[in-house]
Amino acid sequence: TCVPLGGGSTLGGVSAPPPRQLRGHTAEVLSAEAVPEASCLVTGAADHSLCWWDLPEHGAATLPGQHFRLRQRVVAAHAPLALRWCHAARLLFSGGSDGAVIPWRLRDGDGAVIADAPLAGGHKAAVTCLAMLKAPYDDLLCSTSLDKTARLWDTSCKPPRCCHGARPFPGPRDAKLAH
C-alpha cells in the first residue's frame, strides 16, 4: 500500500506532478504522525506495521528523484488506528484495534524503534483517537475508544500510567461518554 504525498491535480489547465508514494505497508494505511525531533514521519497500517520514514531535507521533497527513505518497519501487536507523538516524554503512542495503547521509543545512538509494554488499564475495544492535552496538562495523553470511554494517561511517569485522581484535574479521569 502506498501513502500519496500530494500532487497529481490540475488547476487552471496546469498539471501538477503525480503524487509521490511511500511504499512499505502491505495493507491499508490507517494513521500517520510527524515526529519532528527524529526528523521522520510514522505511518501505521492494517498489516500491524509501523513505518518510520526519514524526512528529506527541507524543500528536497519537491525535487525530482528525492523521496522519503524508509528508516525502519516494525510489526506491532495491533493494527495502529491512531498515532500521537509526545514531545515531553519523547515517545510515540499507538492506539490499536485491540484496545491497547503502546508507547514506542527511539533508542539513543542508532535511533532504532523499540516498543515498550502496552500500558496497563487499556480499553476493551479499538482505540479511535489519541491526543495530547495543552498546558498546563501537556504531559497528559487522552485516548478514546469504541468501548465508549476516554482515558487520560500521565506520560511523565515511567512507564506512563492511567490517571486515577493522582493530580488535580477538572473532571473525571475515566468516564463513560454519552451517545
Side-chain angles (χ1 to χ4, degrees):
T1 300
C2 302
V3 180
L5 295 176
S9 60
T10 304
L11 179 62
V14 178
S15 294
R20 292 172 299 280
Q21 296 181 341
L22 304 178
R23 297 183 186 275
H25 296 292
T26 59
E28 298 80 10
V29 176
L30 305 170
S31 53
E33 178 73 350
V35 181
E37 291 86 345
S39 297
C40 69
L41 173 71
V42 182
T43 54
D47 62 4
H48 292 219
S49 70
L50 282 92
C51 288
W52 296 70
W53 308 91
D54 283 331
L55 297 174
E57 293 294 322
H58 182 69
T62 60
L63 300 174
Q66 295 292 323
H67 54 82
F68 289 65
R69 185 183 64 82
L70 179 60
R71 176 188 299 180
Q72 186 174 356
R73 182 180 187 274
V74 294
V75 177
H78 61 220
L81 303 176
L83 297 171
R84 183 63 59 198
W85 174 251
C86 175
H87 171 74
R90 295 190 47 82
L91 292 169
L92 178 84
F93 291 92
S94 65
S97 53
D98 60 357
V101 176
I102 298 176
W104 299 81
R105 58 189 162 87
L106 295 172
R107 188 168 55 201
D108 290 335
D110 64 1
V113 179
I114 302 166
D116 290 338
L119 301 182
H123 293 279
K124 293 181 173 79
V127 173
T128 56
C129 184
L130 295 172
M132 293 302 303
L133 276 65
K134 301 285 185 191
Y137 303 108
D138 55 353
D139 57 350
L140 294 178
L141 172 74
C142 178
S143 60
T144 62
S145 170
L146 293 178
D147 67 6
K148 301 179 185 164
T149 62
R151 292 210 166 89
L152 292 174
W153 306 90
D154 187 345
T155 64
S156 66
C157 296
K158 305 267 187 272
R161 62 180 174 78
C162 192
C163 301
H164 292 286
R167 32 186 275 194
F169 191 81
R173 293 282 184 176
D174 190 311
K176 286 279 186 185
L177 298 177
H179 287 293

